[in-house]
Amino acid sequence: MGQASIQVTPPAVPAEKVTGPWRDAWKAFRKNKTAMLGLGIIVFFVLIALLAPFIAPYGFKEQELVNRLKAPSADHWFGTDDLGRDMFTRILYGARISLWVGFFSVIGSIVVGTFLGILAGFYGKWIDMLISRMFDILLAFPSILLAIAIVAILGPSLQNALYAIAIVNIPTYGRLVRAKVLSLKSEEYITAARAIGMKNNRILLTHILPNSLTPIIVQGTLGIATAIIEAAALGFLGLGAQPPDPEWGKMLSDSRQFIQKAPWTVIFPGLSIMLTVLGFNLVGDGLRDVLDPRMKN
């Protein structure tokens, strides 16, 4: 007489106990108070950038010469500039420009730098030599001077400033990815993938690229802060956003002659730049502590 088999169903794992590398990283990130502060600052500026048309009490181009250089008041919370434009409104719209330049210049740098870094690190030989020498040439110039030269050639504009910032930061991500690929391609699972006949393109997409994302994410977050500063520097020199666009660096440049007479025209744009850069730096440091194995105990 046969004996009936008994199947035992394993107990379901509660949703809150399900773990994974990204879930664990988020839990560790949330425990970092300074990183969460930085995230809060970033979310705040992103929200005011998105909601600027609904929050702003005036148009950013709207001029009232009779109210020029007015101190902060109930009508103008951050005062007015030398053309009678509301500073609070221009700060809100300026967040759009600075964040837009920061995000998209870094995305461009990451895409091109990652592609070149993977080619150099994975294939090596003359490809590595050619790409590495190109990186060395770009890194031989101070980034801001190279950005100024590029914008001077292309012409002053916000879009050209974005291109310049993206170009000067390509070597940073390219060399970072190249170093990571050099360490990854000697791993046993890469050797095993080649042994079973996996093509190079598939190895790059399924093994090399996913395992190279961690340093890119950390450096990219820190790079946004750098890009915002560079955009402000180009705007200050008149090579970035052109009037009447309310870019924070350009606002500082236009207000530097009124530092003593109307200090609020300098304080609020400068404070906005400082807080935004601080937010991205705090988040970048927090991500490095969470994602970099060398930072873990």
Side-chain angles (χ1 to χ4, degrees):
M1 186 174 180
Q3 185 177 2
S5 60
I6 301 176
Q7 295 181 349
V8 179
T9 303
V13 180
E16 62 273 10
K17 293 186 179 181
V18 176
T19 60
W22 294 107
R23 186 185 293 269
D24 293 340
W26 170 242
K27 289 181 179 179
F29 183 84
R30 286 189 302 176
K31 295 179 181 178
N32 189 327
K33 295 182 179 180
T34 56
M36 290 302 294
L37 173 62
L39 182 61
I41 294 174
I42 294 173
V43 170
F44 171 75
F45 277 99
V46 169
L47 287 177
I48 67 171
L50 294 175
L51 300 176
F54 306 100
I55 301 175
Y58 303 93
F60 69 87
K61 298 180 183 179
E62 188 176 338
Q63 300 181 13
E64 295 180 2
L65 295 179
V66 294
N67 290 325
R68 62 188 304 271
L69 298 179
K70 290 289 185 179
S73 63
D75 294 330
H76 301 282
W77 292 357
F78 290 177
T80 61
D81 62 8
D82 59 314
L83 295 177
R85 295 172 296 191
D86 183 64
M87 288 292 296
F88 177 70
T89 298
R90 292 179 63 79
I91 291 293
L92 294 179
Y93 280 94
R96 285 185 158 192
I97 295 177
S98 294
L99 292 176
W100 182 77
V101 172
F103 278 117
F104 285 97
S105 63
V106 167
I107 289 174
S109 299
I110 288 176
V111 171
V112 178
T114 299
F115 176 74
L116 295 176
I118 287 178
L119 288 181
F122 190 78
Y123 291 103
K125 298 182 180 179
W126 66 270
I127 297 178
D128 184 15
M129 183 184 68
L130 179 64
I131 294 176
S132 296
R133 296 297 78 78
M134 182 182 68
F135 289 163
D136 291 339
I137 292 173
L138 290 175
L139 291 171
F141 299 93
S143 60
I144 188 63
L145 292 182
L146 182 58
I148 291 173
I150 294 172
V151 175
I153 294 172
L154 298 178
S157 72
L158 181 63
Q159 186 174 5
N160 290 338
L162 187 152
Y163 293 152
I165 295 170
I167 291 171
V168 300
N169 288 306
I170 286 175
T172 301
Y173 302 98
R175 297 184 72 176
L176 185 67
V177 173
R178 175 184 175 273
K180 187 66 176 179
V181 172
L182 287 174
S183 65
L184 288 174
K185 74 176 185 177
S186 60
E187 295 289 338
E188 294 181 356
Y189 64 90
I190 300 296
T191 305
R194 284 174 170 164
I196 64 175
M198 186 178 291
K199 295 182 179 180
N200 287 338
N201 291 340
R202 188 176 177 187
I203 293 175
L204 289 173
L205 292 176
T206 59
H207 296 297
I208 298 295
L209 182 58
N211 287 289
S212 303
L213 290 178
T214 297
I216 296 175
I217 292 173
V218 175
Q219 185 59 42
T221 306
L222 296 171
I224 294 175
T226 303
I228 291 174
I229 293 177
E230 291 173 345
L234 291 175
F236 186 86
L237 296 173
L239 299 174
Q242 299 300 302
D245 291 339
E247 197 273 325
W248 290 339
K250 180 62 176 173
M251 292 170 67
L252 286 175
S253 176
D254 294 339
S255 303
R256 65 183 185 275
Q257 57 183 318
F258 306 112
I259 293 179
Q260 294 183 346
K261 183 178 180 181
W264 56 86
T265 59
V266 177
I267 291 175
F268 292 114
L271 190 61
S272 300
I273 295 172
M274 184 202 73
L275 289 176
T276 307
V277 171
L278 175 64
F280 281 105
N281 282 335
L282 292 178
V283 170
D285 289 341
L287 289 175
R288 182 192 58 193
D289 295 342
V290 170
L291 299 176
D292 191 343
R294 294 172 298 180
M295 301 300 293
K296 297 179 181 179
N297 294 326

